[in-house]
Amino acid sequence: AQSVTQLGSHVSVSEGALVLLRCNYSSSVPPYLFWYVQYPNQGLQLLLKYTSAATLVKGINGFEAEFKKSETSFHLTKPSAHMSDAAEYFCAVRLYNQGGKLIFGQGTELSVKP
Amino acid sequence: EPEVTQTPSHQVTQMGQEVILRCVPISNHLYFYWYRQILGQKVEFLVSFYNNEISEKSEIFDDQFSVERPDGSNFTLKIRSTKLEDSAMYFCASTEGQGGNYGYTFGSGTRLTVV
């Protein structure tokens, strides 16, 4: 069963435009949710995480994500894209009572046009 | 900021050869993981390790794979007899605990190419 789905393998925005990367999870119990960014030829860097405290989570580099239980979503947004935001973004979940492993979505490649 | 260090960054090996990928987790972390990412695909969980034993492994982690923490700092992934399909980026990760407030720190990865 797919635990996390990222809609859109590739998103392209203009510099200064809103960034919206979608992530939906499938779990009867809200999991812990994470967004990671991967720049070319680099590792995975944590952007932000949801751990059942505030539903609106602020991360690094101006990104934020809102946990919506009714929609089983955890979409990532940034008000104004910068060229340096071009990278691959991964949503990941850690399911409740399923050990410590992360389950990753398929990833969304973000391109930023000048 | 503390880092997870992986070596080597690139490894090319012939099919059938054994490889050992090395990781130095963050010193006060207790849980260790290996993930892999085949080119163009998503990141997949391989194995988790705690208290000197495997706590969970995926179906990918078959008898060709093994993990070890040979000393107090290194965490290694061994592939006994590499296959072409083992070509991937391998990431090590560690975390201090498994509660909700703990994040996972990933290394920069080892790109393994099997020829």
Side-chain angles (χ1 to χ4, degrees):
Chain A
Q2 188 76 9
S3 298
V4 57
T5 303
Q6 290 182 243
L7 294 174
S9 59
H10 187 259
V11 170
S12 181
V13 301
S14 297
E15 193 173 20
L18 171 73
V19 175
L20 171 60
L21 305 181
R22 299 177 187 274
C23 173
N24 288 86
Y25 67 90
S26 56
S27 170
S28 57
V29 178
Y32 302 115
L33 293 148
F34 304 79
W35 274 100
Y36 282 87
V37 60
Q38 184 181 30
Y39 297 102
N41 299 313
Q42 293 189 29
L44 298 164
Q45 182 182 6
L46 179 67
L47 276 177
L48 49 80
K49 65 181 190 276
Y50 167 75
T51 58
S52 74
T55 55
L56 182 62
V57 182
K58 294 188 185 299
I60 62 170
N61 301 340
F63 284 93
E64 61 182 38
E66 185 172 8
F67 171 70
K68 291 187 177 180
K69 184 178 177 181
S70 60
E71 299 177 8
T72 60
S73 69
F74 190 56
H75 301 332
L76 182 71
T77 60
K78 181 173 180 177
S80 177
H82 192 271
M83 297 296 290
S84 60
D85 294 326
E88 185 96 18
Y89 291 80
F90 291 94
C91 182
V93 303
R94 180 163 81 78
L95 299 175
Y96 181 73
N97 267 355
Q98 297 259 338
K101 69 174 184 277
L102 293 178
I103 301 170
F104 285 83
Q106 303 92 318
T108 298
E109 184 180 354
L110 176 66
S111 301
V112 182
K113 299 174 291 188
Chain B
E1 189 172 324
E3 290 184 345
V4 173
T5 305
Q6 288 186 244
T7 54
S9 56
H10 293 88
Q11 171 108 35
V12 181
T13 188
Q14 288 200 324
M15 192 168 53
Q17 293 296 303
E18 174 184 285
V19 294
I20 298 176
L21 310 182
R22 302 181 191 278
C23 169
V24 179
I26 293 173
S27 61
N28 65 333
H29 284 190
L30 301 175
Y31 297 82
F32 314 113
Y33 306 85
W34 283 102
Y35 291 80
R36 79 171 186 191
Q37 183 184 28
I38 295 172
L39 187 65
Q41 298 185 25
K42 65 179 178 179
V43 179
E44 301 173 289
F45 167 76
L46 290 178
V47 66
S48 58
F49 192 86
Y50 169 70
N51 201 25
N52 279 322
E53 61 183 27
I54 290 173
S55 46
E56 187 177 1
K57 59 184 180 180
S58 71
E59 62 271 13
I60 302 168
F61 194 89
D62 61 22
D63 292 343
Q64 294 297 316
F65 291 88
S66 62
V67 289
E68 195 177 37
R69 189 154 161 82
D71 52 44
S73 60
N74 289 283
F75 178 51
T76 61
L77 174 68
K78 182 194 290 186
I79 308 175
R80 213 177 326 275
S81 177
T82 50
K83 305 191 259 301
L84 294 176
E85 54 265 37
D86 294 327
S87 295
M89 181 75 94
Y90 288 81
F91 292 107
C92 174
S94 69
T95 182
E96 191 175 351
Q98 289 198 322
N101 286 328
Y102 295 106
Y104 299 76
T105 304
F106 282 80
S108 297
T110 294
R111 182 170 297 284
L112 176 66
T113 302
V114 183
V115 297

